[in-house]
C-alpha cells in the first residue's frame, strides 16, 4: 500500500472515530453535521479543560441542555457529548428608555444574538448616545424557545468638547482638521470618527499611529477626541537603470523625485526625467496642493516635454482637479494643451487641446498580511487637434480633427495564502479618430515596464491596445517577495498602403521573466530579468529600480 493511500485511510478513520492523541469524543445523540463540527473543534482547540470549553461551545450554539462528561467506556481519556434539543431565539423584549420587542425566531447562535444587540447599540450611538447599554434581566424558555427580557439605558448624549491633534512637527494642525468630518460642539457619533479615520488613511504625508481615542470629561456629558499622527518622510526618490543588449548594447535610466507636504499644508511637487533610448527622453515637472472647494480634493499643474528627436518634439501643460467623494473613490477632471513639432519638415506641426474625466476606486496593498484587494481606473479624454498651415502645403488638407481616448485599467490581488498572492492587471486603451493613420506623437507607445517587459521601451505603436500582466508573488517577509511574471499585449494600428489608403494592422507580443523586491523601512530595491517572445535566453533585459524616502 502506498504511503499516500495509507495516509488517506488514517485521515478517514480519524474523522469517523473523532479521536485525537489526547481526547477521544463519543456522541450520545446529535445529527452527523453537528458531530463533525464538534469533532473539528476538539481537533483544533488546545486547552487544559476541554469539558468546560465544549460546554461553552454547545451553549453558544443553542444546546442549553447539552452535557459533556467522561466517557463511560474510557473514563481516563474519553469524553461523551450529549447535545439535547437545540433552542430557538424567539424574541428580545426591551424595556427602559425606548421600549420595543424584536422578533428573531431563528435557531439560537451567539453571533446572531450579538448582531442584534450590536445593531441596537449602534443605532443609539448614531444619535449621540455613546454610553448606551442593553442589560439582560431575565430569560424564559418554553417549547425549546428562548425569550430574553432586557433593559435599555441610553445614557447622556455626548458632545465633543475638544479635538486634540498630537505628533505633528511640520504639518499645520488647522489644515489637517479639514479632513475630519467632526468638529468641536458636534454630537459624538462613532461612525463619523471612523469615517475620519478612513479619510486620513488615504493621505500620503501623515498616518495615524493608532485609532482615535475617546476621552470622557468629568460628568460624562462631553468627551475629547485625540488623534495621534506620525509624519511620513518628506521626500521620495525612485531611480531605475536598465541595460538593452541590442545595437552593441546601451543603458537606459529614469529618476523620479517627489516632495510631499512641502510647506506643511499638503503641497506636493515632483520632477521626473526618463532617458528611454539615445534619441528618446521625457521630462516632467508638477506642483499640486489640496483644495476644499467641493470637498476633499487636490489640484495639480504640470509641464511636460518629450524629445523624440527622430520623430517629434512636444511641449505641453496640464491642469488636473481631483475630488474624493467617499472612501477609496475619487473623480478626476483635466484640461491640457500641447504643441508638437515633427522632425520631418514635410509634416505639419499642430496643437492639441483636451479635456478629460475619470474615476478611481479601490486599493491594493503590497504587504504580506494584507487582504485581497482590487483597483479600477477609467479615464476618457476629448481632444481637438489643429494643424498649422504654411505656404507650401496643400490648402485642401483638413486642418482640425477631433479624437476620443478611452483608458481602462483593472487590478486585482488575490491572497489564497499568507505567503502567496496572485497579482493581475488588465488594461484597455483606444483612440477613436477620423485621421488615419494618427501622428506618432498621438499614439500609445508599447514596450518596457509596466506594460510589456522583455522589450525595448516604446518599441511598438498602437491605436488600440489590450494588455495584461500576471505575477505570482511569494513573500519572504512583510514586504520582500520574489515573483515570476508574464506580460502580454494585443494592439492595432494604421499605416498607408501603396495607394495611400489607410490599412489596419495588428500584432500580439508577450514577455516573461522573474523579479525580486526587497524593502526596508524607507528604502526599496527591485531587480527584474525579462525576455521577449523572440529574445534569446542568454540575453535577458535587466531592470534595477531603487527608491528611498528621506
Amino acid at each position: 500500500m502506498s504511503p499516500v493511500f495509507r495516509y488517506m485511510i488514517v485521515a478517514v478513520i480519524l474523522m469517523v472515530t473523532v479521536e485525537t492523541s489526547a481526547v477521544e469524543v463519543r456522541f450520545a445523540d446529535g445529527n452527523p453535521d453537528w458531530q463533525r463540527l464538534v469533532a473539528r473543534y476538539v481537533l483544533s482547540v488546545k486547552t487544559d479543560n476541554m469539558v468546560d470549553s465544549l460546554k461553552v461551545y454547545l451553549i453558544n450554539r443553542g444546546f442549553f441542555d447539552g452535557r459533556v462528561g467522561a466517557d463511560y467506556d474510557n473514563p481516563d481519556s474519553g469524553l461523551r457529548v450529549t447535545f439535547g434539543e437545540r433552542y430557538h431565539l424567539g424574541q428580545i423584549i426591551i424595556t427602559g428608555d425606548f421600549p420595543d420587542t424584536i422578533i428573531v425566531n431563528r435557531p439560537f447562535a451567539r453571533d446572531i444574538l450579538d448582531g442584534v444587540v450590536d445593531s441596537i447599540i449602534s443605532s443609539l450611538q448614531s444619535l449621540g448616545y455613546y454610553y448606551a447599554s442593553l442589560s439582560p434581566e431575565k430569560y424564559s424558555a418554553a417549547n425549546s424557545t428562548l425569550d430574553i427580557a432586557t433593559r435599555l439605558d441610553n445614557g447622556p448624549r455626548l458632545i465633543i468638547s475638544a479635538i486634540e491633534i498630537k505628533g505633528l512637527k511640520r504639518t499645520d494642525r488647522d489644515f489637517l482638521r479639514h479632513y475630519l468630518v467632526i468638529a468641536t460642539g458636534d454630537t459624538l457619533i462613532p461612525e463619523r470618527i471612523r469615517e475620519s479615520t478612513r479619510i486620513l488613511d488615504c493621505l500620503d504625508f501623515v498616518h495615524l499611529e493608532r485609532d482615535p481615542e475617546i476621552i470622557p470629561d468629568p460628568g460624562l456629558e462631553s468627551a475629547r477626541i485625540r488623534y495621534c499622527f506620525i509624519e511620513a518622510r518628506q521626500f521620495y526618490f525612485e531611480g531605475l537603470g536598465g541595460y538593452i543588449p541590442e545595437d552593441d548594447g546601451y543603458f537606459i535610466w529614469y529618476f523620479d523625485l517627489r516632495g510631499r507636504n512641502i510647506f506643511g499644508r499638503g503641497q506636493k511637487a515632483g520632477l521626473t526625467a526618463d532617458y528611454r533610448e539615445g534619441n528618446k527622453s521625457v521630462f516632467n515637472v508638477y506642483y499640486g496642493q489640496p483644495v476644499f472647494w467641493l470637498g476633499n480634493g487636490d489640484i495639480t499643474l504640470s509641464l511636460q516635454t518629450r524629445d523624440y528627436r527622430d520623430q517629434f518634439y512636444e511641449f505641453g501643460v496640464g491642469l488636473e482637479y481631483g475630488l474624493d467623494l467617499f472612501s477609496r473613490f475619487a473623480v478626476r477632471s483635466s484640461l491640457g494643451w500641447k504643441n508638437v513639432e515633427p522632425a520631418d519638415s514635410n509634416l505639419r506641426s499642430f496643437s492639441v487641446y483636451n479635456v478629460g474625466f475619470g474615476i478611481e476606486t479601490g486599493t491594493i496593498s503590497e504587504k504580506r498580511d494584507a487582504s485581497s484587494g482590487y483597483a479600477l481606473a477609467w479615464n476618457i479624454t476629448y481632444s481637438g487637434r489643429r494643424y498649422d498651415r504654411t505656404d507650401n502645403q496643400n490648402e485642401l488638407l483638413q486642418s482640425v480633427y477631433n479624437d476620443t481616448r478611452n483608458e481602462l485599467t483593472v487590478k486585482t490581488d488575490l491572497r489564497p495564502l499568507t505567503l502567496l498572492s496572485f497579482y493581475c492587471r488588465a488594461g484597455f486603451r483606444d483612440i477613436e479618430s477620423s485621421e488615419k493613420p494618427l501622428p506618432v506623437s498621438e499614439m500609445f507607445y508599447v514596450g518596457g515596464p509596466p506594460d510589456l517587459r522583455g522589450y525595448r521601451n516604446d518599441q511598438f505603436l498602437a491605436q488600440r491596445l489590450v494588455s495584461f500582466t500576471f505575477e505570482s508573488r511569494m513573500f519572504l517577509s512583510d514586504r520582500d517577495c520574489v515573483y515570476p511574471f508574464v506580460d502580454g499585449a494585443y494592439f492595432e494600428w494604421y499605416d498607408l498602403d501603396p495607394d495611400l489608403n489607410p490599412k489596419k494592422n495588428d500584432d500580439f507580443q508577450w514577455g516573461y521573466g522573474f523579479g525580486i523586491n526587497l524593502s526596508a523601512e524607507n528604502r526599496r530595491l527591485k531587480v527584474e530579468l525579462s525576455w521577449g517572445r523572440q529574445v534569446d535566453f542568454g540575453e535577458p533585459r535587466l531592470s534595477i529600480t531603487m527608491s528611498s524616502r528621506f
Side-chain angles (χ1 to χ4, degrees):
M1 183 182 297
S2 70
V4 174
F5 191 69
R6 187 182 299 114
Y7 173 79
M8 294 174 63
I9 291 178
V10 172
V12 171
I13 292 174
L14 286 174
M15 292 177 63
V16 173
T17 62
V18 195
E19 185 178 15
T20 70
S21 59
V23 179
E24 181 179 351
V25 182
R26 300 186 183 278
F27 299 100
D29 59 0
N31 63 49
D33 291 337
W34 279 108
Q35 291 179 6
R36 281 193 292 270
L37 288 173
V38 170
R40 291 171 188 160
Y41 178 80
V42 172
L43 288 170
S44 61
V45 173
K46 296 181 179 180
T47 177
D48 295 332
N49 193 341
M50 182 58 72
V51 172
D52 289 344
S53 180
L54 267 179
K55 287 180 179 179
V56 173
Y57 181 87
L58 294 176
I59 290 173
N60 286 341
R61 282 148 186 83
F63 297 102
F64 301 128
D65 300 329
R67 298 189 301 277
V68 180
D71 189 358
Y72 307 139
D73 300 327
N74 191 3
D76 293 333
S77 62
L79 291 177
R80 186 176 182 86
V81 175
T82 302
F83 287 94
E85 192 168 359
R86 190 183 187 191
Y87 280 68
H88 276 59
L89 179 59
Q91 58 186 3
I92 299 176
I93 303 168
I94 302 173
T95 60
D97 294 330
F98 289 100
D100 197 1
T101 299
I102 299 176
I103 306 298
V104 181
N105 196 25
R106 293 178 61 184
F108 183 91
R110 180 61 183 269
D111 55 351
I112 293 177
L113 177 61
D114 290 344
V116 173
V117 173
D118 289 345
S119 66
I120 295 171
I121 299 300
S122 296
S123 64
L124 290 172
Q125 288 183 340
S126 67
L127 299 175
Y129 298 103
Y130 181 74
Y131 293 114
S133 61
L134 190 67
S135 305
E137 291 191 326
K138 65 178 181 178
Y139 306 88
S140 61
N143 300 322
S144 299
T145 298
L146 177 69
D147 296 331
I148 303 176
T150 64
R151 179 170 182 81
L152 178 64
D153 183 9
N154 289 341
R157 296 184 69 176
L158 254 65
I159 303 300
I160 300 175
S161 61
I163 298 177
E164 301 178 359
I165 296 178
K166 304 293 185 180
L168 300 181
K169 296 180 180 179
R170 297 185 302 269
T171 308
D172 187 317
R173 285 175 168 78
D174 292 334
F175 159 75
L176 204 58
R177 294 179 192 274
H178 284 291
Y179 295 101
L180 306 179
V181 295
I182 56 175
T184 301
D186 289 350
T187 301
L188 194 155
I189 298 176
E191 179 55 36
R192 291 186 181 178
I193 298 176
R194 289 191 289 269
E195 178 63 20
S196 295
T197 302
R198 287 192 290 267
I199 294 172
L200 293 169
D201 285 342
C202 296
L203 302 181
D204 60 356
F205 54 92
V206 295
H207 61 269
L208 286 170
E209 183 178 7
R210 55 183 178 270
D211 289 337
E213 300 176 67
I214 300 175
I215 305 172
D217 294 327
L220 303 181
E221 297 290 336
S222 61
R224 294 170 289 142
I225 313 298
R226 178 178 295 167
Y227 292 87
C228 295
F229 290 94
I230 297 177
E231 292 178 309
R233 297 292 182 94
Q234 198 165 9
F235 294 98
Y236 173 85
F237 171 80
E238 181 177 86
L240 179 149
Y243 177 73
I244 308 298
E246 297 178 0
D247 302 329
D248 297 328
Y250 60 91
F251 290 93
I252 60 174
W253 54 266
Y254 162 89
F255 79 85
D256 181 13
L257 177 63
R258 309 175 203 170
R260 292 291 184 268
N261 199 26
I262 297 174
F263 305 114
R265 297 182 64 84
Q267 298 91 342
K268 60 183 180 180
L271 172 66
T272 303
D274 189 352
Y275 185 83
R276 302 186 176 186
E277 290 185 12
N279 59 352
K280 293 182 179 179
S281 61
V282 176
F283 176 84
N284 180 51
V285 61
Y286 67 87
Y287 171 83
Q289 66 177 44
V291 292
F292 304 96
W293 301 330
L294 302 174
N296 297 329
D298 61 87
I299 187 168
T300 304
L301 176 66
S302 62
L303 180 151
Q304 177 178 290
T305 65
R306 285 197 295 170
D307 188 0
Y308 285 28
R309 297 177 186 175
D310 295 338
Q311 298 174 315
F312 63 88
Y313 175 82
E314 175 185 290
F315 173 82
V317 294
L319 182 66
E320 181 180 279
Y321 171 64
L323 176 64
D324 298 325
L325 294 181
F326 46 85
S327 178
R328 308 298 183 188
F329 186 90
V331 297
R332 304 285 176 188
S333 57
S334 62
L335 295 172
W337 169 88
K338 68 178 181 179
N339 184 73
V340 180
E341 295 287 344
D344 188 343
S345 60
N346 293 320
L347 299 177
R348 297 183 293 173
S349 60
F350 56 88
S351 298
V352 178
Y353 302 84
N354 59 68
V355 57
F357 174 81
I359 60 173
E360 298 176 1
T361 185
T363 183
I364 290 179
S365 174
E366 295 183 355
K367 292 185 178 181
R368 176 184 61 184
D369 297 331
S371 58
S372 299
Y374 79 97
L376 180 146
W378 169 74
N379 189 75
I380 184 170
T381 303
Y382 301 97
S383 61
R385 186 168 59 259
R386 180 179 295 276
Y387 284 94
D388 298 333
R389 292 189 180 276
T390 61
D391 293 339
N392 60 350
Q393 288 177 335
N394 189 344
E395 295 294 331
L396 298 178
L397 291 176
Q398 185 173 339
S399 61
V400 178
Y401 292 90
N402 296 318
D403 301 340
T404 302
R405 292 171 174 261
N406 268 292
E407 300 185 47
L408 174 67
T409 302
V410 179
K411 303 176 184 178
T412 61
D413 187 28
L414 306 177
R415 303 294 182 103
L417 301 172
T418 303
L419 300 178
L420 179 66
S421 78
F422 297 124
Y423 171 80
C424 307
R425 179 186 58 80
F428 171 75
R429 289 184 281 175
D430 172 69
I431 306 172
E432 295 294 335
S433 176
S434 56
E435 184 178 18
K436 298 177 182 178
L438 284 169
V440 293
S441 63
E442 303 309 290
M443 299 178 69
F444 299 119
Y445 282 82
V446 187
D451 289 318
L452 194 58
R453 289 165 287 190
Y455 294 86
R456 298 196 315 270
N457 289 50
D458 298 347
Q459 184 170 342
F460 308 104
L461 290 170
Q463 185 169 336
R464 181 175 292 108
L465 167 69
V466 178
S467 61
F468 71 88
T469 288
F470 174 79
E471 295 180 2
S472 178
R473 299 174 177 173
M474 291 160 281
F475 286 91
L476 307 175
S477 64
D478 187 41
R479 291 180 181 270
D480 301 343
C481 64
V482 294
Y483 54 95
F485 62 82
V486 177
D487 296 339
Y490 168 81
F491 46 93
E492 299 175 350
W493 75 97
Y494 289 88
D495 58 17
L496 297 177
D497 63 16
D499 297 327
L500 301 181
N501 295 317
K503 180 183 66 173
K504 186 169 76 171
N505 303 276
D506 62 356
D507 195 7
F508 175 75
Q509 299 288 344
W510 59 273
Y512 64 97
F514 63 89
I516 181 169
N517 183 79
L518 303 175
S519 300
E521 182 179 0
N522 292 299
R523 295 176 177 85
R524 186 179 72 163
L525 171 66
K526 182 165 70 174
V527 180
E528 292 181 340
L529 289 175
S530 58
W531 291 264
R533 185 176 64 179
Q534 299 175 345
V535 175
D536 292 336
F537 189 78
E539 297 182 348
R541 284 169 169 78
L542 171 64
S543 172
I544 302 175
T545 305
M546 294 178 292
S547 62
S548 177
R549 290 184 179 272
F550 58 93

